[in-house]
Amino acid sequence: MIGNVGLEPEVRYYDADQAVARIRLATTEKGYTLPNGTQVPDRTDWHTVLLWKGLAKIAERYVHKGDKICVEGRIRYRSEDTQKGERRYVTEIYADSMELLTPRSARRDEAQQAASGGQTQASGGQAQTAGGSSKLPF
């Protein structure tokens, strides 16, 4: 499954430094036009992806809101009772593998913009962040 991360990963630690991460992943099916001219809009579905142990630690460190990722895994269904006594059904994806699809340079640029408040200044032909460090083109 390929999609965009909707929120920062939620990571929890348990039993001797073991981790589990929960990621909300959005997948979009593009809209189209039927032969009779009817427009079918884009459809976005939200999925809960769980990553365990080392994969969870990688997600904690490298996955951020807006990143495009690919996950492979298994679909799990479970039910839980709410405080009102109602039964709620939950579908989750237990990830076996994950691949980061957002280019490293794009993630680094976003992090630098967030750190500098999104402000850059031109100085002598080089872009400089508000902190004064030059932004190299490579």
Side-chain angles (χ1 to χ4, degrees):
M1 174 179 301
I2 296 174
N4 294 315
V5 178
L7 298 169
E8 289 294 316
E10 176 186 326
V11 181
R12 297 180 190 232
Y13 285 85
Y14 65 96
D15 293 341
D17 200 35
Q18 297 300 314
V20 62
R22 179 182 308 253
I23 294 176
R24 296 289 292 159
L25 191 67
T27 58
T28 301
E29 181 180 340
K30 293 292 181 190
Y32 54 93
T33 304
L34 295 173
N36 66 5
T38 304
Q39 294 279 1
V40 177
D42 288 355
R43 176 184 164 152
T44 300
D45 292 313
W46 287 91
H47 311 277
T48 300
V49 179
L50 296 176
L51 304 121
W52 302 89
K53 300 181 181 178
L55 208 51
K57 292 178 183 180
I58 290 170
E60 179 180 35
R61 191 165 177 193
Y62 297 107
V63 176
H64 302 287
K65 178 180 178 179
D67 285 349
K68 183 173 284 222
I69 63 171
C70 175
V71 293
E72 293 181 2
R74 307 175 304 282
I75 295 178
R76 296 288 181 185
Y77 304 99
R78 64 181 175 87
S79 63
E80 59 189 25
D81 294 325
T82 65
Q83 292 178 349
K84 296 179 181 178
E86 300 168 342
R87 180 147 291 194
R88 190 181 109 171
Y89 296 93
V90 179
T91 303
E92 298 170 322
I93 298 160
Y94 283 31
D96 294 323
S97 66
M98 172 183 62
E99 186 174 341
L100 304 175
L101 300 177
T102 301
R104 189 178 300 163
S105 61
R107 289 195 307 260
R108 186 178 20 202
D109 290 347
E110 288 173 9
Q112 286 177 348
Q113 284 182 351
S116 68
Q119 300 173 356
T120 58
Q121 300 173 344
S123 172
Q126 291 183 340
Q128 291 198 347
T129 61
S133 63
S134 64
K135 183 177 177 184
L136 300 176
F138 55 88

